Amino acid sequence: IHDCVLSILNQTFTDYELILVNDGSSDNTLSILREIKTKDKRVVIIDQNNAGVSVARNSALAIAKGEYVYLLDGDDYLTIDAIFEIKQLLRCCNHDIIMSAYNISKNNKEIFKPLPFSEGVYGIKDFWANISIFPTAPQLVYRMDVIRTQNIRFDSAIKCGEVYAFTINYMKYIDKICILNKPTFNYFQRTDSAIHIPNFHNDITVLKALSSIYDNGVEFVGCRAFIITAFKLMCGFSYTKYLKYSSDVNTVEYVEKIISSDIVKRCIKD
């Protein structure tokens, strides 16, 4: 968390608010955050009982004062000019959403992951029609007045795929997307992170995420990228996480529950 916060505080652009949510940590995270706050007036701390990432993000959205919001996990970090690059795009137009490229940090190396799109502004439907698969936050910057006006929030019942669900819901209310093909953050890839460790109680909520994506993405369902994105999400929390890596005795039962659901049958059919 320390490196993540420093990557934000050391940005070349300095006019922003930094909201840090301590979601019931049991280590010294809160002490670190409080020490940082004493040195920088831009920092706001929310300390809450452990309720999960969706509730943590909603807590931050509820008090955010800025015009735009950028979501960053505690083990990732921004590139030095990230906020400056985003601000430059906003000088000419108040974009509804900005998507940027990113770096993957693995084994002490940074691998640039460009977007399969030229920089510019695109209609949402044109965007969906021309991408191969949809990437998600934190390489997305959302406009806060859209979130406030439409009362868009993360679904606390969704533990897997919550960003996909939130973003598709958000996209119902906008017309255009701005593409920045420069990396704004470094995604730290770890094999021991929670997303790679089987947890049936949480992972089964991918079904709720898929239902939300289909319900809110009606106008995008005809786009190949939409279906591929939904299918990959389903596979990520069934085949990849269980059949490919898990030795849990309940693996087959879990995967059967996933693939027998109506929403997954629709996804596979599509």
Side-chain angles (χ1 to χ4, degrees):
I1 186 67
H2 189 266
D3 291 342
C4 172
V5 174
L6 283 184
S7 78
I8 302 170
L9 297 180
N10 291 334
Q11 287 290 299
T12 54
F13 182 84
T14 59
D15 185 15
Y16 58 82
E17 172 189 50
L18 173 57
I19 302 174
L20 304 172
V21 183
N22 180 56
D23 188 40
S25 65
S26 56
D27 53 16
N28 65 336
T29 296
L30 183 57
S31 297
I32 293 173
L33 299 185
R34 284 173 172 166
E35 181 181 354
I36 291 171
K37 179 176 172 58
T38 63
K39 300 175 182 178
D40 200 308
K41 63 181 181 180
R42 296 172 297 180
V43 176
V44 177
I45 295 177
I46 297 176
D47 182 29
Q48 62 184 36
N49 293 329
N50 180 250
V53 65
S54 291
V55 174
R57 287 170 177 156
N58 287 340
S59 296
L61 291 175
I63 67 167
K65 298 176 182 177
E67 294 181 34
Y68 290 83
V69 62
Y70 192 107
L71 305 171
L72 191 67
D73 291 335
D75 52 1
D76 302 327
Y77 54 96
L78 295 181
T79 55
I80 188 67
D81 292 323
I83 301 179
F84 172 78
E85 294 286 357
I86 292 167
K87 185 64 177 178
Q88 288 294 96
L89 290 176
L90 297 175
R91 287 184 182 276
C92 61
C93 183
N94 294 326
H95 301 295
D96 290 326
I97 189 168
I98 298 173
M99 176 183 289
S100 73
Y102 62 100
N103 297 318
I104 289 182
S105 296
K106 186 177 182 180
N107 299 325
N108 297 317
K109 294 182 179 180
E110 292 182 358
I111 304 170
F112 176 52
K113 301 292 288 184
L115 297 172
F117 237 59
S118 299
E119 288 194 350
V121 180
Y122 300 86
I124 288 295
K125 290 184 178 179
D126 289 338
F127 167 78
W128 274 107
N130 287 282
I131 60 172
S132 57
I133 192 168
F134 184 76
T136 57
Q139 63 265 35
L140 289 169
V141 178
Y142 306 89
R143 187 169 174 172
M144 277 303 301
D145 66 352
V146 176
I147 292 174
R148 295 186 186 106
T149 302
Q150 303 301 334
N151 194 31
I152 303 170
R153 292 293 184 270
F154 286 87
D155 187 336
S156 60
I158 299 176
K159 309 298 182 182
C160 302
E162 70 283 345
V163 175
Y164 284 90
F166 177 90
T167 303
I168 300 302
N169 187 17
Y170 179 93
M171 282 186 155
K172 288 192 305 184
Y173 304 105
I174 64 174
D175 298 316
K176 295 182 179 181
I177 182 169
C178 179
I179 301 297
L180 173 64
N181 226 330
K182 296 178 182 177
T184 58
F185 86 107
N186 294 283
Y187 170 62
F188 188 59
Q189 198 171 58
R190 297 185 309 162
T191 56
D192 62 342
S193 65
I195 196 170
H196 294 114
I197 300 173
N199 182 323
F200 176 77
H201 178 73
N202 288 341
D203 295 340
I204 197 69
T205 66
V206 71
L207 298 179
K208 188 172 180 61
L210 286 172
S211 294
S212 175
I213 288 169
Y214 268 91
D215 288 345
N216 290 309
V218 173
E219 62 181 308
F220 312 128
V221 170
C223 299
R224 184 170 180 267
F226 182 91
I227 303 303
I228 291 175
T229 298
F231 185 78
K232 184 178 179 181
L233 179 63
M234 180 272 294
C235 287
F237 291 97
S238 55
Y239 167 72
T240 303
K241 198 169 186 179
Y242 285 83
L243 292 182
K244 193 174 182 180
Y245 294 116
S246 177
S247 58
D248 192 301
V249 294
N250 297 313
T251 288
V252 174
E253 180 183 355
Y254 167 78
V255 174
E256 286 179 343
K257 285 187 177 181
I258 289 287
I259 63 177
S260 65
S261 67
D262 290 339
I263 189 63
V264 169
K265 287 179 180 179
R266 178 182 177 182
C267 183
I268 293 173
K269 179 182 178 181
D270 290 343

